[in-house]
């Protein structure tokens, strides 16, 4: 046996105590519940303009504490098998891969084809009955953060080792530690997947000394299209760059499932026919390493979508075998040295900053007048002014958006602090006092949540409420979904308190669309219809 002592401990942790799995899962749901309750209380506060929000939080807090005790007792009796099924039954095995709005066979039956069957179709995949989706047969509690970022249980993901090893991804070299574990990366200096070199190379290509300068240079958010095993994002996250993975729906070897299993931000997204669920001007960098998108097809409409998502002055990083960029259908001129993608990028005011090996870096213009001074023929037009206000998931468009937006501010011209300036808040129509009040509410709410949850979060590293969190952070909460994120105040509170957890900020479509404000703070977020 070559595993170390602590390793042995980790192995034993998931074994022989199935009820613990249930308890932990339930408590994670419980945290989500708190977030919902908290959010709704704060929005009620906003609408009635109550004068003492903090007192209200304390009241909620007391109620939550009682609720927690009740829930705990109930969960314990559930898990010990005393009262198995209450209202909801476990789903059958056929629904183990169930993802709402994604069911390829149902989409095919409904007549979608040409790649659209892999897209999001909520109407056709709705199922009439409710049940609890089962975890995989050999499911084990993920290792704690941050070790769980680099080592996962292979039974938790639908992927075989052969699939891993056969993968053509950039980050394919990985280490198999134990029979039932997969390791991606080791923090102690080993660069097993080359991702650190790659990240440094990109930093140098945009003129930085090293990748630790990304944040300082204004690169705070990255959209990683087709993230493979998520290692690039894991590395950037460790440099405080919020990197969100998006990949198509896949039943086996799902990139999104892998990233989430590692505790990294990810969501299923597919640009075959519809836009991604973000407003224009959202990301500082969009990255694609052999992400499987045929960039020069459909008249460049996918590049236009990337342009829509990029902030002015933002970067598009494409790593792809050069041969694939040559000779596509975008119509490179005969005798021209430019590849179709390069030629199209000029038409949309991107400049090629650098090319090394198989990696290209373009920068989107930060000057609106660039678009009016374009001279070649066949240019994508600018979108109509009211276009940006539309909800997301619109059909892909071939017009340039965002140019008339108040949010058209060069990425390099942003204020460098973590807090938005009052000018930046004004762009979103938010009063600094409202914003500050929201910040304070969530700061105190997080303190309360944390002390409430402390006995659970740190159950195997006991600490008293109020003590500093033990180092390295052993808390079991790697991420939080804020189901009604409003201004992103809970996220800001987590960052301010230096908790090692990130927040997925969800803005329900029925509320004011604050997603642009959330993204402009450098947070992860999506617009979503919970119904
Ligand atoms: C997908 O749809 C098909 C056909 O409607 C159905 O038989 C199947 O159970 C669905 N799969 C899941 C995982 O819901
Ligand atoms: C950025 O700031 C500089 C100096 O204040 C200004 O001259 C320039 O126009 C700004 N660029 C954009 C795109 O806002």
């Amino acid at each position: 046996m070559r595993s170390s002592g602590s390793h042995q401990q980790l192995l034993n942790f998931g074994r022989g105590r199935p009820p613990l799995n249930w308890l932990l899962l339930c408590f994670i749901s419980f945290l989500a519940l708190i977030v919902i309750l908290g959010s709704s209380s704060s929005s009620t506060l906003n609408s009635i303009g109550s004068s003492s929000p903090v007192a209200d939080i304390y009241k909620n807090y007391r109620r939550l504490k009682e609720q927690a005790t009740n829930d705990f007792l109930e969960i314990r009796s559930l898990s010990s098998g005393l009262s198995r099924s209450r209202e909801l039954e476990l789903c059958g095995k056929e629904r183990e891969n169930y993802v709402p709005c994604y069911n390829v066979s149902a989409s095919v039956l409904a007549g979608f084809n040409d790649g659209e069957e892999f897209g999001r179709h909520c109407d056709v995949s709705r199922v009439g009955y409710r049940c609890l989706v089962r975890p995989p047969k050999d499911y084990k509690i993920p290792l704690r953060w941050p070790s769980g970022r680099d080592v996962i249980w292979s039974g938790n993901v639908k992927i075989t080792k052969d699939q891993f090893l056969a993968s053509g991804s950039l980050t394919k070299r990985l280490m198999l530690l134990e029979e039932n574990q997969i390791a991606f990366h080791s923090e102690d200096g080993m660069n097993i997947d080359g991702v650190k070199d790659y990240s440094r190379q990109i930093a140098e290509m945009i003129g930085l000394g090293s990748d630790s300068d990304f944040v300082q240079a204004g690169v705070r958010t990255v959209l990683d299209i087709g993230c493979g095993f998520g290692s690039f994002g894991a590395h950037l996250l460790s440099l405080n760059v919020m990197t969100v993975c998006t990949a198509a729906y896949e039943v086996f070897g799902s990139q999104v499932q892998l990233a989430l299993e590692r505790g990294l931000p990810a969501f299923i997204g597919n640009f075959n026919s519809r836009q991604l669920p973000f407003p224009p001007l959202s990301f500082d960098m969009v990255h694609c390493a052999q992400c499987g998108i045929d960039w020069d097809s459909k008249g460049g409409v996918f590049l236009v979508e990337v342009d829509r998502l990029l902030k002015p002055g933002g970067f598009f990083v494409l790593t792809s075998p050069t041969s694939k960029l040559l000779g596509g259908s975008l119509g490179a001129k005969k005798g021209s040295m430019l590849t179709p993608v390069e030629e199209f990028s000029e038409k949309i005011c991107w400049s090629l900053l650098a090319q090394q090996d198989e990696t290209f870096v373009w920068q989107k213009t930060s000057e609106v007048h660039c678009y009016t001074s374009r001279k070649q023929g066949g240019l994508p037009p600018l979108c109509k002014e009211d276009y940006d206000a539309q909800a997301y998931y619109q059909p892909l468009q071939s017009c340039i958006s965002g140019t008339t937006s108040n949010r058209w501010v060069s990425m390099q011209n942003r204020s460098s602090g973590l807090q938005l300036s009052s000018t930046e808040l004004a762009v979103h129509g938010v009063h600094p006092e409202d914003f500050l009040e929201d910040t304070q509410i969530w700061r105190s709410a997080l303190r309360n949540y944390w002390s409430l949850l402390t006995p659970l979060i740190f159950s195997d590293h006991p600490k008293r409420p109020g003590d500093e969190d033990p180092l390295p952070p052993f808390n079991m909460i790697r991420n939080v979904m804020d189901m009604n994120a409003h201004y992103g105040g809970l996220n800001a509170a987590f960052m301010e308190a230096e908790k090692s957890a990130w927040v997925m900020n969800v803005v329900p479509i029925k509320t004011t669309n604050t997603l642009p404000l959330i993204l402009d703070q450098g947070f992860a977020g999506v617009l979503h219809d919970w119904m």
Side-chain angles (χ1 to χ4, degrees):
M1 195 75 193
R2 64 193 169 82
S3 62
S4 66
S6 68
H7 210 144
Q8 191 62 46
Q9 219 176 357
L10 292 170
L11 283 171
N12 289 336
F13 182 63
R15 214 182 266 157
R17 282 190 282 171
L20 192 58
N21 297 10
W22 284 100
L23 287 183
L24 292 179
L25 281 175
C26 291
F27 277 116
I28 290 165
S29 332
F30 176 58
L31 185 73
L33 188 69
I34 296 175
V35 173
I36 309 170
L37 291 176
S39 293
S40 52
S41 73
S42 91
S43 52
T44 323
L45 286 176
N46 287 346
S47 57
I48 57 173
S50 155
S51 56
S52 128
V54 177
D56 235 46
I57 293 235
Y58 278 114
K59 214 169 355 148
N60 283 344
Y61 177 56
R62 203 172 317 126
R63 207 181 61 217
L64 280 171
K65 213 162 177 173
E66 284 160 17
Q67 183 72 40
T69 318
N70 291 340
D71 286 354
F72 183 78
L73 294 174
E74 189 169 318
I75 290 163
R76 205 163 56 177
S77 67
L78 265 177
S79 65
S80 57
L82 292 180
S83 50
R84 251 273 115 90
S85 60
R86 280 279 171 96
E87 287 159 16
L88 288 177
E89 307 208 335
L90 289 178
C91 305
K93 259 198 84 63
E94 76 286 355
R95 294 193 69 192
E96 210 171 85
N97 303 316
Y98 174 69
V99 177
C101 298
Y102 290 91
N103 179 337
V104 179
S105 37
S107 300
V108 169
L109 280 180
F112 290 100
N113 55 27
D114 202 16
E116 289 206 31
E117 64 273 27
F118 298 104
R120 181 186 160 85
H121 302 291
C122 299
D123 294 340
V124 304
S125 69
R126 223 175 261 290
V127 199
Y129 62 102
R130 285 162 188 261
C131 55
L132 295 168
V133 175
R134 296 167 189 269
K137 198 165 117 285
D138 299 318
Y139 187 82
K140 286 192 206 303
I141 303 283
L143 307 188
R144 297 211 156 194
W145 186 262
S147 19
R149 183 184 57 207
D150 300 325
V151 181
I152 63 171
W153 298 111
S154 47
N156 290 7
V157 292
K158 283 226 172 284
I159 188 166
T160 63
K161 275 178 191 163
D162 289 343
Q163 273 177 305
F164 261 123
L165 295 171
S167 147
S169 155
L170 188 80
T171 52
K172 76 175 170 187
R173 269 168 294 153
L174 50 100
M175 223 160 42
L176 300 178
L177 278 189
E178 297 284 336
E179 206 191 332
N180 53 355
Q181 286 187 331
I182 299 165
F184 298 91
H185 189 70
S186 79
E187 266 310 305
D188 39 325
M190 276 175 70
N191 190 16
I192 51 175
D193 50 12
V195 88
K196 287 182 184 169
D197 291 338
Y198 177 63
S199 159
R200 199 173 309 127
Q201 180 191 8
I202 291 170
E204 284 166 8
M205 289 172 78
I206 64 176
L208 305 176
S210 102
D211 54 1
S212 49
D213 297 338
F214 272 139
V215 172
Q216 221 184 341
V219 181
R220 293 188 303 177
T221 56
V222 175
L223 180 68
D224 193 7
I225 302 172
C227 55
F229 303 139
S231 294
F232 183 57
H235 177 62
L236 290 185
L237 218 56
S238 74
L239 303 172
N240 296 321
V241 177
M242 172 48 75
T243 308
V244 179
C245 162
T246 184
Y249 170 77
E250 298 156 301
V251 174
F252 290 98
S254 164
Q255 304 172 68
V256 169
Q257 187 188 31
L258 271 175
L260 289 174
E261 183 63 25
R262 297 180 67 182
L264 303 168
F267 75 99
I268 295 177
N270 181 326
F271 317 17
N272 270 334
S273 55
R274 305 223 158 233
Q275 297 177 344
L276 292 176
F278 302 107
L281 317 179
S282 289
F283 292 93
D284 302 322
M285 181 183 280
V286 174
H287 173 255
C288 155
Q290 298 177 14
C291 63
I293 290 173
D294 194 1
W295 292 106
D296 60 3
S297 65
K298 297 198 185 176
V301 75
F302 301 133
L303 291 168
V304 171
E305 173 64 355
V306 170
D307 181 79
R308 188 183 74 86
L309 297 170
L310 278 177
K311 287 189 191 291
F315 304 100
F316 177 50
V317 180
L318 177 60
T319 294
S320 172
T322 320
S323 55
K324 285 193 100 175
L325 291 174
L326 292 165
S329 61
L330 266 185
K333 272 179 275 162
K334 283 241 163 64
S336 158
M337 295 301 287
L338 297 178
T339 66
V341 173
E342 278 180 275
E343 189 168 341
F344 190 77
S345 65
E346 283 181 8
K347 295 184 181 176
I348 54 176
C349 288
W350 291 3
S351 46
L352 181 61
L353 281 190
Q355 179 198 346
Q356 272 180 24
D357 310 326
E358 298 183 333
T359 301
F360 294 71
V361 179
W362 282 274
Q363 184 168 30
K364 173 176 172 169
T365 186
S366 53
E367 310 287 348
V368 172
H369 68 71
C370 173
Y371 299 104
T372 46
S373 59
R374 294 174 298 172
K375 286 199 186 63
Q376 302 155 302
L379 302 176
L382 302 187
C383 300
K384 297 211 173 68
E385 201 157 328
D386 57 359
Y387 176 76
D388 293 349
Q390 294 180 358
Y392 318 127
Y393 291 120
Q394 295 297 306
L396 288 177
Q397 294 284 330
S398 51
C399 60
I400 305 285
S401 46
T403 53
T404 55
S405 166
N406 291 336
R407 293 172 64 233
W408 185 283
V409 176
S410 162
M411 191 188 105
Q412 286 78 11
N413 272 18
R414 259 192 331 229
S415 67
S416 53
L418 276 180
Q419 298 279 336
L420 293 183
S421 67
S422 49
T423 329
E424 285 165 316
L425 287 173
V427 164
H428 298 275
V430 173
H431 287 288
E433 299 99 83
D434 288 349
F435 192 76
L436 185 67
E437 184 182 298
D438 190 71
T439 308
Q440 283 162 350
I441 288 174
W442 286 107
R443 192 182 288 152
S444 102
L446 177 67
R447 262 202 307 275
N448 294 334
Y449 295 168
W450 207 258
S451 88
L452 174 69
L453 290 169
T454 282
L456 311 169
I457 300 173
F458 299 99
S459 52
D460 59 352
H461 289 269
K463 85 178 191 72
R464 287 205 304 275
D467 286 355
E468 290 290 306
D469 296 348
L471 289 172
F474 282 107
N475 83 74
M476 61 174 237
I477 295 178
R478 303 178 293 179
N479 47 35
V480 176
M481 183 184 289
D482 190 348
M483 297 174 72
N484 181 9
H486 197 40
Y487 296 157
L490 179 65
N491 193 145
F494 264 99
M495 289 191 59
E496 193 185 81
E498 298 184 344
K499 302 296 181 204
S500 64
W502 57 272
V503 179
M504 179 53 92
N505 296 285
V506 181
V507 178
I509 55 170
K510 299 224 168 81
T511 62
T512 314
N513 184 358
T514 50
L515 185 56
L517 174 59
I518 287 171
L519 296 172
D520 285 0
Q521 292 173 82
F523 301 159
V526 284
L527 199 69
H528 185 67
D529 182 359
W530 284 113
M531 298 321 285

